[in-house]
Amino acid sequence: MREKPRFVEVALPLPLFQNFTYAVEEGLANPVVVGSRVVVPLRNGKEIGVCVGVSDVSPLKRKPKAVLESPDAEPAVSRSLLELCKWMSDYYIVPLGVALRTALPAALTGAEDPHPTRKTQRVVRIGVEIPSLLQRDKVFARSPQQRAVFELIESLGNRTTAEQLSSQLEFSPSVLKSLEKRGLIVSEEEEVERDPFSSRGGISATRLNPTPAQQHAIDTMSSAEKGEVFLLHGITGSGKTLVYIELLRRIVDERGQTAIVLVPEIALTPQTVDRFRAAFGDRIAVLHSALSEGERYDAWLALKRGEKRIVVGARSAVFAPLENLGAIIVDEEHESSYKQGETPRYHAREVAIVRAKNEGAITLLGSATPSLESWANATSGKFRLLTLPERVGGGRLPKVEVIDLRKIATDYSGMAEGGIDYGTVIREPLHDALVECMDHGEQSILLLNRRGYSSFIQCIDCGAVATCPNCSITLTHHRNPERLICHYCLHKEDPRPDCARCGGRNLKQRGLGTQQVERLLSERFPSARIARMDVDTTSGKWAHTRILDRVAAGEVDILLGTQMIAKGLDFPNVTLVGVVDADVGINLPDFRASERCFQLLSQVSGRAGRGEKGGRVLIQTRIPSHHAVRYAVSHDYVSFVRDEMGGRVDPPYPPNVRLANIVFSGVIEDSTARLAIHAGEWLRELITTRAGDEVTVVGPAPCPIERIKSRWRWHVLLKTEHPAEMTRVSRYFMERFEIPSTAQLRVTLDRDPVALL
Ligand code: ADP
Ligand code: ZN
């Protein structure tokens, strides 16, 4: 029998590119093997790490400290997950311990109790009698606070919790009591809601017969080689979900393997989840952000024990502890939410491909509008392309028409009291289409990818715009409650009656947000049932699902919202899609701005005409000849890609080149700039002496958003066609470049960034 190892290498979640050696002594609860979690002493405290190596000799001169606890009877991290984390650590230039912490459920890496007890909460709902907009002035004449609270509940989908109300608006508890007494709201104590995804059914489980195109895709993948990557380019409504499900039947049911299904954001895709649930019932674990840590941990255990064989979840589900993996499916692979916004800045699509290759599984990337990266890989033969060129059941893509906003002069401004005109916001053809749609008892979807009431407030006298004190961002005007809010740092302030710069009193609201469109629509169509879906109406648990369920049940005539409403929805009674302003975001100084715009317009258009009644799409824009708009109108993905790819050649941008964005930030502008300038010189020197000219350094320059959360920001961009060189240079830089300990200076490296703002 081998003697027990006496020393272990431990990866800890610290910002240091090294592992730590500890001694293993007698008396621990469990043996320490590679993959086991260990509790170790660190400075004056303790830290949870993962054992990544064992040995009989210590590399240290001094005697290592001893492991304090070994809580895992079975190692929490499998060999293959450890291998994946090592890849992440190398590729994204993060310490291994940081990668491992990301790959494990929080309950296993933090100190928190994984099983918090369920609580009750106070739920408030709008009462039976909803005063119309006209009655309101009278009803709330002497109680503006009651009105504010009432309208906040309304904007949150007529139902919310007292806790959430008070997080958004300050008011005394007596306000709720008075509203309740007047019968305007109902309030009661309820048990904290259970996970609605655990019990949702609803969709009939009748099995559909795949179309020939679907069948071809399924058959091709069923006989694929281990590690192959497929790109399923299927137009909206072509039945990609059915392909996923039938593929899983083969892999999970026939071969007894396991599978991971990634979706961009689970709250937005209850229908997709329902379909998987209908097909696989209890064998699915659904991981979503609203689960408590304990619930996540339970799901993780069920997967690890093999009790569940399929996991559906967002980004982090790619780390699910499944053995014998057969496939990873990445639905809507172009979505930027697959990229984590903080360290480690991994892209779940890339991690999925690496994991599947390591474990001999296949990867299936699906989208109607694939990312340019994936398209380039499919064209070069790295991925295999599968196409679903038609809608199922002979359905056709909706006719898309453009309303040219330049033809009628527009002024989206209005006096602070909202003098803006409905007719300039919803132009006649769109208005007529809405009326017709409602007359036929059909539903419509309106997209405006900007939340809030108006996008900023400007002084007419001096031109000053209200901006955030912490960020170089204009404040967005919100109603219910009336606030100016920074969408980056969430700074809130009350609107001022005068200009902060010149004291002038002629303030104008500029730009249009969803709140304002909602108000204009409800004034224009007092009896229409309008639901608004954006970050502000969906902050409560399950709020998304509740809104979408109302649409599915036919209780909503117009669904208005931001990009949230563009994804995956499949409502046959939606016959009209209107885009209030297609140009939001197109002028952002980011190389992906056009791609995002095209994807959003194509995706939202794809929500129309999914039933027998067909559908139409109306897009209001000032740039009808822009390729992002033009090819969304003609449903021509391939031509869009051709044009867009051409625009990324000189200067080169992905997929023609690989990028790493190094961001320098600090609380003093000058120190931040100097650090970035120094880093630029350092990198150029390094590259000329060591790497030849395979990596190009661009910048330094201030970031497009120069300041966020009181930190100034500069960046340097690395470009190369050689991924290995990128790894080498980035790693050398992150390990060796010294950051002075002044001005809270910080450096982050974002490899394959999805945005450069
Ligand atoms: P996509 O994700 O490609 O936009 P979906 O997967 O949402 O498309 O499918 C669109 C609709 O077509 C869904 O209502 C789905 O149930 C239906 N559908 C898919 N495949 C078939 C089929 N082979 N026969 C009949 N209906 C189908
Ligand atoms: Zn801010």
Side-chain angles (χ1 to χ4, degrees):
M1 207 177 88
R2 276 193 58 201
E3 211 183 309
K4 272 196 221 150
R6 298 180 45 230
F7 301 100
V8 289
E9 287 286 297
V10 176
L12 292 172
L14 305 175
L16 292 170
F17 289 91
Q18 64 170 96
N19 294 325
F20 298 78
T21 304
Y22 287 90
V24 178
E25 292 173 355
E26 298 288 311
L28 289 175
N30 296 294
V32 180
V33 296
V34 169
S36 310
R37 287 177 308 138
V38 286
V39 181
V40 295
L42 186 81
R43 292 183 209 107
N44 296 322
K46 294 189 212 173
E47 186 64 75
I48 300 180
V50 174
C51 169
V52 296
V54 294
S55 101
D56 294 335
V57 286
S58 159
L60 302 182
K61 290 212 187 80
R62 58 173 175 81
K63 186 172 177 291
K65 290 186 178 165
V67 168
L68 300 174
E69 290 168 49
S70 61
D72 293 345
E74 286 286 314
V77 179
S78 66
R79 289 269 171 180
S80 53
L81 192 60
L82 180 58
E83 193 186 345
L84 186 66
C85 288
K86 283 185 175 161
W87 174 82
M88 278 224 295
S89 162
D90 279 346
Y91 188 83
Y92 293 105
I93 329 288
V94 291
L96 178 56
V98 173
L100 281 162
R101 183 184 50 191
T102 305
L104 288 174
L108 290 180
T109 59
E112 288 101 277
D113 175 6
H115 292 281
T117 45
R118 284 177 199 278
K119 295 181 301 189
T120 59
Q121 61 184 1
R122 180 144 290 270
V123 172
V124 288
R125 258 180 307 219
I126 296 283
V128 216
E129 294 282 316
I130 303 184
S132 74
L133 280 174
L134 295 176
Q135 293 165 337
R136 276 181 207 195
D137 289 338
K138 219 168 106 199
V139 173
F140 294 111
R142 268 166 300 145
S143 44
Q145 261 221 318
Q146 286 184 21
R147 179 173 187 158
V149 172
F150 183 86
E151 292 185 343
L152 178 56
I153 301 172
E154 215 175 27
S155 76
L156 293 169
N158 291 347
R159 177 192 182 286
T160 183
T161 63
E163 197 181 346
Q164 185 170 353
L165 283 177
S166 49
S167 76
Q168 298 206 5
L169 187 64
E170 277 162 38
F171 58 90
S172 93
S174 65
V175 175
L176 281 184
K177 287 214 185 82
S178 320
L179 280 170
E180 198 172 356
K181 244 190 239 148
R182 300 175 67 188
L184 291 163
I185 65 165
V186 185
S187 113
E188 59 205 352
E189 204 68 25
E190 265 184 18
E191 188 145 327
V192 170
E193 241 178 305
R194 287 186 49 233
D195 171 3
F197 283 112
S198 69
S199 53
R200 285 176 69 94
I203 285 206
S204 82
T206 44
R207 217 169 140 171
L208 301 167
N209 285 324
T211 62
Q214 287 171 327
Q215 193 62 51
H216 172 74
I218 299 158
D219 291 341
T220 310
M221 287 187 284
S222 304
S223 56
E225 312 240 336
K226 289 180 171 178
E228 263 194 283
V229 184
F230 294 90
L231 176 63
L232 177 65
H233 177 216
I235 62 167
T236 56
S238 61
K240 293 184 283 295
T241 315
L242 187 82
V243 173
Y244 305 154
I245 288 174
E246 292 302 321
L247 175 69
L248 292 190
R249 283 194 209 277
R250 299 225 176 145
I251 283 176
V252 178
D253 290 352
E254 291 173 22
R255 296 190 201 150
Q257 291 188 293
T258 63
I260 298 172
V261 181
L262 300 182
V263 294
E265 215 177 318
I266 208 124
L268 296 179
T269 44
Q271 290 182 311
T272 311
V273 176
D274 289 349
R275 288 193 201 147
F276 280 100
R277 179 88 60 200
F280 300 102
D282 274 353
R283 284 171 295 162
I284 289 196
V286 181
L287 296 180
H288 48 80
S289 55
L291 289 182
S292 71
E293 256 179 42
E295 288 165 327
R296 277 193 160 254
Y297 177 61
D298 290 345
W300 185 86
L301 270 184
L303 291 161
K304 190 157 173 79
R305 290 183 186 137
E307 293 160 12
K308 309 253 176 185
R309 303 245 298 276
I310 300 173
V311 60
V312 181
R315 192 169 64 222
S316 64
V318 74
F319 303 112
L322 291 163
E323 303 278 330
N324 192 15
L325 190 66
I328 306 183
I329 294 171
V330 185
D331 188 24
E332 310 286 2
E333 66 87 34
H334 62 278
E335 280 285 335
S336 55
S337 63
Y338 284 123
K339 174 90 172 171
Q340 175 147 296
E342 57 196 51
T343 307
R345 293 178 157 75
Y346 70 91
H347 199 300
R349 178 183 64 217
E350 306 309 314
V351 178
I353 293 170
V354 172
R355 176 167 182 182
K357 285 212 164 116
N358 287 348
E359 300 184 29
I362 63 166
T363 311
L364 170 55
L365 312 175
S367 176
T369 52
S371 62
L372 262 65
E373 280 83 351
S374 294
W375 189 254
N377 281 327
T379 318
S380 75
K382 217 170 139 193
F383 298 171
R384 256 167 94 183
L385 183 64
L386 298 167
T387 359
L388 302 178
E390 277 159 18
R391 282 194 159 180
V392 287
R396 272 192 282 139
L397 283 171
K399 186 169 181 316
V400 185
E401 298 150 67
V402 158
I403 302 172
D404 189 343
L405 292 172
R406 295 168 309 179
K407 296 228 167 109
I408 316 158
T410 321
D411 181 10
Y412 271 167
S413 57
M415 302 312 288
E417 264 323 295
I420 199 165
D421 172 22
Y422 170 85
T424 59
V425 174
I426 307 288
R427 296 302 169 85
E428 212 175 304
L430 182 53
H431 171 79
D432 293 346
L434 278 170
V435 172
E436 194 187 315
C437 192
M438 280 187 280
D439 285 350
H440 291 152
E442 295 162 6
Q443 295 169 295
S444 45
I445 286 182
L446 281 185
L447 171 80
L448 175 62
N449 199 17
R450 199 192 284 125
R451 68 197 176 93
Y453 193 79
S454 60
S455 52
F456 57 95
I457 291 191
Q458 188 169 36
C459 168
I460 301 178
D461 301 335
C462 78
V465 169
T467 50
C468 175
N470 313 317
C471 311
S472 50
I473 288 290
T474 59
L475 292 168
T476 305
H477 182 207
H478 285 246
R479 290 258 175 114
N480 302 325
E482 181 106 13
R483 286 283 164 75
L484 300 184
I485 302 178
C486 169
H487 288 178
Y488 275 79
C489 73
L490 305 183
H491 164 86
K492 294 186 176 116
E493 60 184 59
D494 292 331
R496 301 164 55 110
D498 54 357
C499 169
R501 188 157 85 189
C502 74
R505 291 192 160 253
N506 290 320
L507 299 181
K508 269 206 159 187
Q509 302 187 2
R510 301 224 176 247
L512 191 66
T514 43
Q515 284 187 336
Q516 184 153 203
V517 177
E518 181 186 31
R519 179 190 161 117
L520 292 169
L521 284 170
S522 55
E523 284 168 357
R524 186 68 191 219
F525 302 109
S527 60
R529 297 163 303 172
I530 300 165
R532 189 180 105 223
M533 189 154 153
D534 55 30
V535 169
D536 301 303
T537 61
T538 52
S539 52
K541 247 192 177 189
W542 317 126
H544 304 85
T545 321
R546 224 174 272 122
I547 297 174
L548 295 180
D549 283 351
R550 275 167 55 212
V551 180
E555 293 163 17
V556 170
D557 301 312
I558 303 175
L559 173 64
L560 161 72
T562 54
Q563 38 86 24
M564 280 183 187
I565 56 166
K567 294 172 199 175
L569 305 181
D570 184 41
F571 298 121
N573 199 34
V574 170
T575 54
L576 172 68
V577 164
V579 179
V580 177
D581 182 352
D583 315 343
V584 174
I586 192 101
N587 291 318
L588 285 176
D590 191 279
F591 73 97
R592 276 187 228 271
S594 301
E595 185 180 0
R596 290 232 170 82
C597 177
F598 173 79
Q599 285 164 346
L600 183 59
L601 295 178
S602 305
Q603 295 287 347
V604 78
S605 302
R607 303 311 118 207
R610 287 177 161 249
E612 280 162 10
K613 297 170 199 152
R616 63 194 284 225
V617 180
L618 292 166
I619 297 180
Q620 303 193 140
T621 177
R622 256 166 254 94
I623 44 167
S625 55
H626 191 291
H627 65 293
V629 177
R630 197 151 42 95
Y631 293 124
V633 169
S634 56
H635 303 293
D636 189 352
Y637 171 80
V638 173
S639 296
F640 170 76
V641 170
R642 192 198 51 222
D643 273 26
E644 179 64 20
M645 208 71 102
R648 297 195 194 173
V649 173
D650 188 20
Y653 276 105
N656 294 317
V657 73
R658 306 290 198 103
L659 295 185
N661 189 26
I662 309 181
V663 176
F664 304 84
S665 66
V667 292
I668 299 172
E669 184 174 15
D670 190 43
S671 322
T672 311
R674 264 186 289 138
L675 179 69
I677 292 164
H678 174 51
E681 288 161 0
W682 196 99
L683 279 161
R684 285 200 169 88
E685 166 93 25
L686 170 74
I687 285 162
T688 38
T689 52
R690 296 192 172 232
D693 50 7
E694 285 175 343
V695 179
T696 317
V697 180
V698 184
C703 294
I705 301 175
E706 289 178 38
R707 196 159 163 260
I708 294 180
K709 296 184 186 168
S710 302
R711 300 178 65 86
W712 296 92
R713 306 166 73 242
W714 278 62
H715 69 153
V716 168
L717 206 54
L718 301 181
K719 290 188 173 183
T720 183
E721 286 173 21
H722 309 279
E725 279 308 305
M726 185 66 99
T727 305
R728 218 156 67 88
V729 170
S730 302
R731 184 159 194 106
Y732 198 85
F733 175 78
M734 290 304 277
E735 284 187 10
R736 313 283 168 97
F737 182 72
E738 279 185 34
I739 304 156
S741 52
T742 56
Q744 296 177 33
L745 291 170
R746 224 184 277 154
V747 177
T748 58
L749 185 139
D750 184 2
R751 187 155 185 186
D752 306 331
V754 294
L756 297 178
L757 298 175

